[in-house]
Amino acid sequence: MEADIIIIGGGAAGLMAAYGAAERSRGAKVLVLEKMPRPGRKIMITGKGRCNFTNVKSWNDFSPHIRTNQGFIRAAFRNLTPENLIHFFGEHGLQTIIERGDRAYPSTYHASDVVDTLESAATKAGASILKDREVQSVRELSGGGFNLSCAGGETFTCKKLVIATGGLSYPATGSTGDGYDWAENMGHTVKTCFPSLTALVPDGYKTLPERMPRGSQKGHIDRSMPMSDWGKSLCGCSLKNVEVTAFAGQNVLQREFGDIDFTDGGIEGPIGFKLSRNCVKGLINGNKISLLIDLKPAVPKEELESRISSLSGLPAKVLLQKLLPSELIAGFTASNPQLFKGKLLNTKALSDALKAWKLDIAGFVGYERCVVTAGGVDTDEVVAKTMQSKITYGLYFCGEVLDVDCDTGGYNLHCAFATGLLAGQSAAK
Ligand SMILES: Cc1cc2nc3c(=O)[nH]c(=O)nc-3n(C[C@H](O)[C@H](O)[C@H](O)COP(=O)(O)OP(=O)(O)OC[C@H]3O[C@@H](n4cnc5c(N)ncnc54)[C@H](O)[C@@H]3O)c2cc1C
């Protein structure tokens, strides 16, 4: 089959690219090839099924949440600001609700409504979305254009090609990193990929086999690995308003203030995720990563010591309950054996541990459950104003396949939509 523009991948970026290309070209044949039976499978699981699709901040406040290549995103952001995106959804019948932290959600709180709206906007503009079409190979034609082969033998040719295949996280949604190989085959550099916005696994939290499975990425601890008794004692605990400092060896990597959650994966929650990018990178590079948790950041050490000594007549359990959430006590004391001499609580050691609870990090949960893939197609080789390859004429990239990743809060989806729209519109020119 022949088309003017083909978009591989019907995720956030691909569906928006299809809309942009069809709406801008008026009459060009625009096809989306999506490998799954339904497009937008990953969108369906975003924001716990509610889809935090953008964040209504100005560029100056938005851009610090882009962790790599901020400058590359600026033109795409200008072309599709958060307000423009909200307007787009509104025009297509989906209203928005803004929550704490400027996070925008569909007013129905159903991620499926975002997918349906995108699909309908793209098809109404004239694009066709072909499902169950897994592209297996991409070949550049000598006279210009591209030839694609799908599983099952079907082939396609097109003049312009948009690669919107996403990253590697949650492969069951269809994102299995296929675009990276094609990019490399067409001369692009792919920056090393690694999981980000993921759980960090403290040493001893999981019961690990003596040997990790063959081919595992360094530091990867699969989410399905069983928890140790200590892990089970912490799992389900949430720490509010703590300060966490991440170290690589003796060097401070990053410091964050906020909330963390202990889950079946390890340490997650808003600041667990914020720290994960640098910690995962450090672990992959062979650094010794540890976290120091200050459970009482608002209380100076001396004040805490005198408070504890004023309570020192109390039985240990009662004293600990006055200082810690009761569900945390078992896990906290198990990882701080220095707190007890026999049955006696060492109050000095307690104030030290409350101000600096040290957890060595053994590894991280990988692509099976991370939110986003860091790394990807080198943005230096892509024109920021058009998303076109600087190496291959007629080739465009958008979304998570690019070396762009952000914090949680709607930033990742916004970047996918903005780069997708720009790629589609540029391909239609
Ligand atoms: C659990 C979870 C929650 C998240 N929550 C949020 C959130 O609330 N807010 C936010 O901003 N971000 C969130 N994200 C991140 C966000 O979902 C992604 O950054 C975004 O979906 C990337 O869009 P994309 O279009 O580039 O890739 P994807 O959405 O991954 O889409 C890629 C598409 O390409 C298709 N494809 C891949 N290979 C082929 C092939 N060979 N042939 C044909 N089709 C192919 C895939 O099937 C897929 O449909 C979340 C991610 C996860 C995993």
Side-chain angles (χ1 to χ4, degrees), residues 86 123 218 223 232:
I86 287 169
T123 49
K218 195 169 179 185
R223 182 95 184 194
K232 284 181 195 155

Side-chain angles (χ1 to χ4, degrees), residues 132-244:
D132 285 316
R133 300 299 202 290
E134 179 183 356
V135 177
Q136 289 191 321
S137 74
V138 172
R139 200 163 47 86
E140 202 186 331
L141 298 170
S142 51
F146 304 87
N147 178 277
L148 318 179
S149 308
C150 286
E154 203 175 358
T155 59
F156 295 84
T157 54
C158 58
K159 295 181 193 122
K160 306 270 183 78
L161 177 66
V162 180
I163 296 185
T165 44
L168 287 151
S169 76
Y170 278 76
T173 62
S175 318
T176 47
D178 303 5
Y180 301 128
D181 288 343
W182 306 327
E184 277 181 341
N185 291 343
M186 289 188 274
H188 279 269
T189 310
V190 174
K191 293 282 182 82
T192 307
C193 293
F194 58 94
S196 184
L197 306 181
T198 195
L200 296 170
V201 188
D203 205 5
Y205 199 85
K206 295 263 183 173
T207 305
L208 301 179
E210 274 186 20
R211 273 194 185 187
M212 293 305 267
R214 226 169 222 280
S216 304
Q217 189 172 28
K218 195 169 179 185
H220 174 210
I221 297 177
D222 198 277
R223 182 95 184 194
S224 62
M225 293 275 176
M227 278 185 285
S228 64
D229 288 341
W230 177 60
K232 284 181 195 155
S233 71
L234 283 171
C235 181
C237 292
S238 292
L239 304 181
K240 303 269 175 234
N241 301 323
V242 295
E243 187 178 86
V244 184

Side-chain angles (χ1 to χ4, degrees), residues 9 12-13 34-35 46-47 52 133 135 166 170 174-175 178 371 400 410 413:
E34 166 54 49
K35 77 154 95 147
T46 56
N52 171 203
R133 300 299 202 290
V135 177
Y170 278 76
S175 318
D178 303 5
V371 172
E400 208 176 304
L413 275 173

